Amino acid sequence: MKRSQVFTLVFCISMFTLGLITLTLFLQNPQGSQRSLLFPDQDDYFMDFFNTLNYTANRNPYQDGYGGLVNRNYLPLAYLILYPFSKLGDFIHELPKEIRPEQAAMIGCFVFLLLSFGLFFYLMYEGKSGRRLEKLFTTLACACSGLILYNIDRANTIILAVAFLWLYLLFYRDENPVYRHIALVGLAISAALKVYPAIFGVLLLYEKRWKDTAWAILYGVIAVFLPFLFFEEGFAAVPQLLYNVQLNSKKYYGGSFSIVTNHILDTTNLLSIGFGIAKVLMVLIAAMAWLQEKFWKRILLLTCALLLSPTHSGYYCGLYLFIPLIFFLNEEDHSNLDWLYLVLFILAVSPLQFRISLPETRLFRTQFDNFMLQNMAAIGIYLSLIIETLYSAVKQWNLRKRQVVT
């Protein structure tokens, strides 16, 4: 059995086992700890979808209304994609929570989730190497993740953003120029939905593909600015959008996949320091990706930089981790150190929910839970990859230095 197949088998068995344990615990106690895995807040499920429909229904998404300016911070492409669904009800005059129970509105939400996750899982399946059965079981194993289930709860456009980022990474190196341009369009759409996936454009710079870089910038400008013309204010809405983004950044300070957050530390000052460290690490990691020769490690480094980027990097942002995870499982030449990465990946995407009380301290939270464990696993991935990359770079530099001397 190939090394990649061994790692894939261990991952699938682990995820199916964790999924089975989670399901068993939920069935034994539907209102227990596993309840937080899906629809934990009965007053807020699917609301990333329905709130956005309310914002875009009157084709004036950046002005004050329900939810206030602070939440009207998407680039216009996201509002444009969801606009057709806003015609399923009277989203202008009714609150989103009043629209949600209506049959047509709920069907629209299910269609959105079906299309979004359909594209996401199809590209995941295509991205996994191996035989069809191996690709299928890997996709199903990933579907057991708590990150997947939580994104069903949110119904956020990040699902599409990750799917189009998948499209880019699968085809940006393709020999067929048509597929390469489709990939570049995918990157543009992903960046126009969530901004931060634009960091993956540096892959083109690392590979000195200047022409493709120019095309990517052009497609990005079109994806970001052209949708403004669909809405009433047109380009005049740009200053208002920037103001709304500023308000949103101040309100949502830090998130579950930032390097130091309130999921680990419970001190505001340390949170502020940690957020600053995260920004420095983001730049450092993106630069270090240039030193990595292995594709999956380069993608993982850029994903780590992406997860450190957003001011509001919520739990749902962990969805980006599945891209480097699949490329990791595709690796034919796994080292013994890769077992550590496999364990960290499994912990980061695990569905199992738990909560353990801890002694009260001035620094740490009084409860150790799955969010904290997943965040620590993500941090473990960051640090392991940074140390490994720096060690490899220094080793190669010393080797070149010796060759020059001799």
Side-chain angles (χ1 to χ4, degrees):
M1 184 179 291
K2 295 180 180 179
R3 191 84 162 171
S4 62
Q5 292 176 322
V6 173
F7 273 69
T8 299
L9 181 61
V10 173
F11 172 77
C12 290
I13 292 175
S14 300
M15 291 302 294
F16 286 138
T17 301
L18 288 169
L20 181 60
I21 293 173
T22 302
L23 178 61
T24 301
L25 292 174
F26 174 77
L27 293 176
Q28 289 178 350
N29 183 10
Q31 300 302 321
S33 59
Q34 307 313 308
R35 183 70 182 81
S36 62
L37 187 64
L38 189 63
F39 305 144
D41 186 351
Q42 287 294 296
D43 195 45
D44 197 52
Y45 65 90
F46 295 149
M47 292 313 293
D48 283 1
F49 176 81
F50 286 104
N51 284 335
T52 305
L53 297 193
N54 174 264
Y55 303 157
T56 193
N58 63 354
R59 295 176 60 187
N60 194 11
Y62 300 112
Q63 295 303 316
D64 203 1
Y66 173 79
L69 295 176
V70 66
N71 293 316
R72 296 171 177 262
N73 64 321
Y74 287 172
L75 286 171
L77 181 61
Y79 294 121
L80 179 60
I81 290 175
L82 294 180
Y83 177 76
F85 294 100
S86 71
K87 301 293 101 179
L88 296 174
D90 188 9
F91 280 76
I92 300 176
H93 300 100
E94 293 184 69
L95 296 178
K97 291 178 182 178
E98 298 171 345
I99 294 293
R100 182 176 58 187
E102 296 181 10
Q103 185 179 39
M106 191 59 74
I107 290 175
C109 183
F110 286 151
V111 169
F112 170 76
L113 285 171
L114 182 64
L115 293 176
S116 300
F117 270 117
L119 181 61
F120 174 85
F121 282 120
Y122 172 75
L123 291 171
M124 175 183 287
Y125 175 89
E126 291 296 320
K128 179 69 181 76
S129 62
R131 298 180 178 179
R132 291 182 179 179
L133 196 61
E134 180 181 347
K135 293 153 68 82
L136 176 61
F137 275 106
T138 303
T139 304
L140 292 175
C142 289
C144 294
S145 170
L147 295 170
I148 299 292
L149 296 175
Y150 184 78
N151 271 280
I152 295 176
D153 176 287
R154 297 317 311 149
N156 193 284
T157 52
I158 194 174
I159 308 166
L160 284 175
V162 179
F164 280 106
L165 184 57
W166 262 115
L167 183 67
Y168 165 68
L169 292 172
L170 289 181
F171 296 108
Y172 85 99
R173 286 176 164 178
D174 201 280
E175 295 181 359
N176 189 323
V178 175
Y179 288 150
R180 286 204 307 273
H181 278 275
I182 291 175
L184 297 177
V185 171
L187 176 63
I189 294 175
S190 182
L193 288 172
K194 290 297 178 180
V195 180
Y196 301 104
I199 196 172
F200 282 87
V202 301
L203 291 171
L204 302 172
L205 299 178
Y206 293 157
E207 299 173 15
K208 298 180 180 180
R209 293 167 52 183
W210 313 122
K211 188 175 181 180
D212 284 341
T213 301
W215 277 112
I217 293 173
L218 175 61
Y219 291 142
V221 170
I222 292 173
V224 168
F225 290 101
L226 187 61
F228 275 107
L229 298 178
F230 175 78
F231 297 100
E232 287 187 1
E233 291 189 312
F235 294 130
V238 174
Q240 185 66 55
L241 168 60
L242 296 176
Y243 177 72
N244 295 355
V245 170
Q246 185 180 14
L247 292 178
N248 186 271
S249 298
K250 290 180 179 179
K251 179 179 179 180
Y252 299 106
Y253 192 66
S256 62
F257 274 89
S258 296
I259 193 68
V260 178
T261 75
N262 56 2
H263 283 283
I264 294 180
L265 300 177
D266 201 20
T267 303
T268 304
N269 291 333
L270 287 178
L271 180 60
S272 301
I273 295 172
F275 186 71
I277 294 174
K279 294 304 180 184
V280 174
L281 282 175
M282 177 193 71
V283 177
L284 176 63
I285 290 172
M288 287 174 59
W290 179 73
L291 301 174
Q292 269 293 345
E293 295 181 359
K294 286 195 173 183
F295 184 70
W296 76 265
K297 290 183 179 179
R298 177 172 287 186
I299 298 303
L300 181 55
L301 276 167
L302 292 175
T303 303
C304 291
L306 182 151
L307 291 175
L308 291 167
S309 302
T311 304
H312 182 203
S313 177
Y315 185 60
Y316 62 87
C317 288
L319 202 64
Y320 289 107
L321 282 173
F322 288 99
I323 297 178
L325 169 60
I326 295 299
F327 286 125
F328 167 75
L329 295 177
N330 288 344
E331 177 64 35
E332 294 288 346
D333 186 25
H334 279 294
S335 66
N336 290 331
L337 182 61
D338 288 351
W339 286 108
L340 172 63
Y341 286 111
L342 180 61
V343 172
L344 292 174
F345 268 124
I346 293 172
L347 292 177
V349 303
S350 169
L352 189 62
Q353 310 288 292
F354 65 89
R355 184 175 297 175
I356 302 173
S357 297
L358 298 174
E360 186 174 351
T361 66
R362 293 183 178 181
L363 296 180
F364 295 95
R365 298 173 64 206
T366 57
Q367 289 184 331
F368 180 76
D369 57 20
N370 55 285
F371 295 108
M372 195 170 179
L373 178 62
Q374 288 175 289
N375 205 347
M376 292 173 67
I379 292 173
I381 291 174
Y382 299 164
L383 296 180
S384 300
L385 203 52
I386 289 172
I387 294 171
E388 183 186 1
T389 303
L390 287 176
Y391 175 78
S392 178
V394 171
K395 187 176 179 179
Q396 291 181 5
W397 182 79
N398 286 332
L399 181 61
R400 293 193 192 99
K401 186 176 180 181
R402 291 174 184 174
Q403 290 175 345
V404 171
V405 172
T406 56

